[in-house]
């Protein structure tokens, strides 16, 4: 792996001071090949992050992607919209599935849209 990725290839976004360059051109990223961002920062920097054509996304703590009363939380909405056009998405979670079956809708719908129904409401009526 060291021949594929080095520390200079990884960009961590801790705050808005760490946002990516404004240009859409891939060359504007320089050596950056991996960008790590939290759910909250993805929401706050949504416009900046959505300017890129991401090839792969890995979502850790994916159990945090949730709908509350049929609507996605602000962070969930931001992350789902960022990932909508990403061709390869890997969801990770070390947390067992919640006891409420509705909590898996956002994750499943992201990977396979419509599999559980056209909407959270349709899935919940189930």
């Amino acid at each position: 792996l060291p021949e594929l990725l080095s520390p200079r290839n990884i960009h961590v976004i801790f705050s808005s001071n760490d946002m990516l360059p404004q240009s859409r051109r891939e060359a504007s990223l320089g050596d950056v090949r991996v960008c790590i961002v939290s759910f909250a920062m993805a929401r706050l920097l949504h416009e900046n992050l959505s300017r890129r054509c991401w090839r792969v996304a890995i979502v850790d703590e994916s159990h945090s992607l949730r709908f509350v009363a049929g609507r996605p939380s602000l962070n969930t909405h931001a992350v789902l919209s960022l990932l909508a056009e990403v061709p390869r998405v890997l969801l990770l979670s070390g947390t067992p599935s919640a006891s409420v079956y509705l909590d898996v809708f956002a994750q499943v719908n992201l990977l396979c849209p419509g599999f559980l129904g056209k909407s959270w409401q349709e899935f919940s009526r189930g």
Side-chain angles (χ1 to χ4, degrees):
L1 204 64
E3 62 275 358
L4 298 176
L5 201 61
S6 71
R8 75 174 185 278
N9 302 128
I10 301 170
H11 181 74
V12 180
I13 297 179
F14 293 105
S15 72
S16 58
N17 294 332
D18 304 314
M19 77 171 95
L20 297 169
Q22 295 297 326
S23 174
R24 287 179 173 247
R25 292 187 359 242
E26 194 169 320
S28 71
L29 290 175
D31 290 337
V32 174
R33 298 178 73 191
V34 174
C35 179
I36 299 172
V37 62
S38 69
F39 283 100
M41 289 309 301
R43 178 177 54 85
L44 294 172
L45 299 178
H46 184 272
E47 184 178 336
N48 177 262
L49 293 169
S50 64
R51 291 184 178 142
R52 303 289 173 183
C53 292
W54 303 102
R55 293 185 211 152
V56 176
I58 300 171
V59 181
D60 194 15
E61 303 296 334
S62 67
H63 62 274
S64 297
L65 296 171
R66 290 217 170 115
F67 279 65
V68 178
R71 300 177 58 96
S73 68
L74 293 174
N75 290 348
T76 295
H77 179 73
V79 171
L80 292 177
S81 68
L82 284 171
L83 299 177
E85 300 299 319
V86 177
R88 291 177 185 86
V89 177
L90 177 64
L91 301 180
L92 305 175
S93 181
T95 303
S97 292
S99 58
V100 180
Y101 72 97
L102 297 170
D103 285 345
V104 301
F105 178 80
Q107 295 172 64
V108 173
N109 200 57
L110 175 61
L111 297 177
C112 191
F115 183 75
L116 296 177
K118 294 179 184 175
S119 68
W120 182 91
Q121 288 80 6
E122 183 179 314
F123 177 56
S124 69
R125 289 190 297 264

